Amino acid sequence: MLAFVSLVALLASSAAAHVLPAGNVTVARTCGSTPSSAQVAAAEAHFSANKKAFKSSTPTTAAAATKTINIYYHVIYSSTATAGGYVPDSQLQSQTTVMNQDYAGTGFQFVTAGIDRTSNPTWFNSAGPSTSAQTAMKNQLRKGGVADLNVYTVGFKSGSGAGLLGYSTFPSSYSGAPKDDGVVMLFSSVPGGSTANYNLGRTLTHEAGHWFGLYHTFQGGCSGSGDSVSDTPPEASAASGCPTGRDTCSGGGVDPIQNYMDYSYDSCMNQFSAGQISRMQSQVATYRGITV
């Protein structure tokens, strides 16, 4: 249990960070911190021992089998100019639309439950995994409960968070740090934003995948249990751009570069696998109490 608690702390703080260089110059997504094979093994052992079902044994209609997730958007800005992070409602509504498109068929749909805006240059510039700025931000602004997705848009300009594209907590982190739960993302990666190649809204699709319990497709490289999903081909390292036909591990098929949990450009991402969908459903049933 101690090993699992230590892993929860790690996952809550930094395991799903994705980095761009200072100034938000567009390059490949890279990860600031990734759980080790031993840490993932401990988490998976806990999950296996406590796994719950997403769907009841009672037959349901297709509509009843879809769970609606509230999204609370928290816009942090340093000025009311576009470059200052003042994201308009229209882009956030477009972001929710993208989420519903990308998660169609997963058993989840999304609604914009609220939008608030906070002028705080310190949070906008300095929020990052495990920083005092992000802790204060989340403690003050988070809404809802374990089944609600809180999304904070910031600038990632300085400090340990400089250049991040986004990061997220995992479902297993919630019980130990409920206020920390949610996604922090670069404001200009929403649909129509200014971050080239990452402005179609797939940053939130990807980060929400972690919030639902998914690892990266390249977790663990070519050996071991990888991302703990059997139908995503093993991948030695994160993809960059949209490298069609890339195959970094022998056997198992070409790399899943179009998967939302790789690091490809937004325009290249278009799928979750059946195994990932099953894992998301089981993870949130187990750790978030979300069932149908």
Side-chain angles (χ1 to χ4, degrees), residues 5-245:
V5 171
S6 297
L7 176 62
V8 166
L10 173 100
L11 294 179
S13 64
S14 62
H18 306 93
V19 183
L20 296 173
N24 296 331
V25 177
T26 302
V27 293
R29 305 177 201 248
T30 55
C31 191
S33 180
T34 304
S36 69
S37 296
Q39 291 165 331
V40 169
E44 292 310 300
H46 186 276
F47 177 45
S48 179
N50 294 276
K51 187 181 295 186
K52 296 180 181 178
F54 176 66
K55 296 179 181 179
S56 70
S57 58
T58 303
T60 60
T61 64
T66 300
K67 194 69 176 181
T68 299
I69 305 296
N70 293 324
I71 302 179
Y72 292 99
Y73 291 107
H74 309 287
V75 177
I76 314 302
Y77 63 94
S78 61
S79 76
T80 55
T82 300
Y86 202 86
V87 183
D89 286 7
S90 58
Q91 286 185 306
L92 298 175
Q93 295 292 3
S94 293
Q95 179 67 79
T96 299
T97 297
V98 169
M99 289 288 284
N100 280 316
Q101 293 169 346
D102 292 349
Y103 281 82
T106 66
F108 306 105
Q109 62 186 10
F110 303 87
V111 296
T112 301
I115 298 172
D116 57 63
R117 290 179 172 79
T118 302
S119 174
N120 192 311
T122 298
W123 295 353
F124 178 78
N125 291 319
S126 304
S130 299
T131 62
S132 58
Q134 78 105 37
T135 299
M137 175 181 72
K138 290 179 174 181
N139 283 344
Q140 181 172 319
L141 298 179
R142 195 184 189 285
K143 295 181 179 179
V146 63
D148 299 308
L149 176 57
N150 280 252
V151 177
Y152 307 82
T153 63
V154 301
F156 293 134
K157 298 290 187 180
S158 63
S160 64
L164 288 176
L165 187 58
Y167 64 95
S168 176
T169 58
F170 288 77
S172 56
S173 304
Y174 184 86
S175 62
K179 283 285 190 179
D180 193 50
D181 187 62
V183 168
V184 184
M185 61 181 285
L186 182 65
F187 76 95
S188 54
S189 67
V190 297
S194 59
T195 302
N197 298 315
Y198 305 107
N199 58 358
L200 299 180
R202 272 29 186 292
T203 292
L204 184 55
T205 301
H206 177 106
E207 299 301 342
H210 293 309
W211 188 83
F212 279 111
L214 299 182
Y215 297 120
H216 296 128
T217 53
F218 49 87
Q219 175 72 41
C222 297
S223 60
S225 59
D227 64 351
S228 301
V229 176
S230 61
D231 63 354
T232 53
E235 189 175 18
S237 60
S240 175
C242 194
T244 303

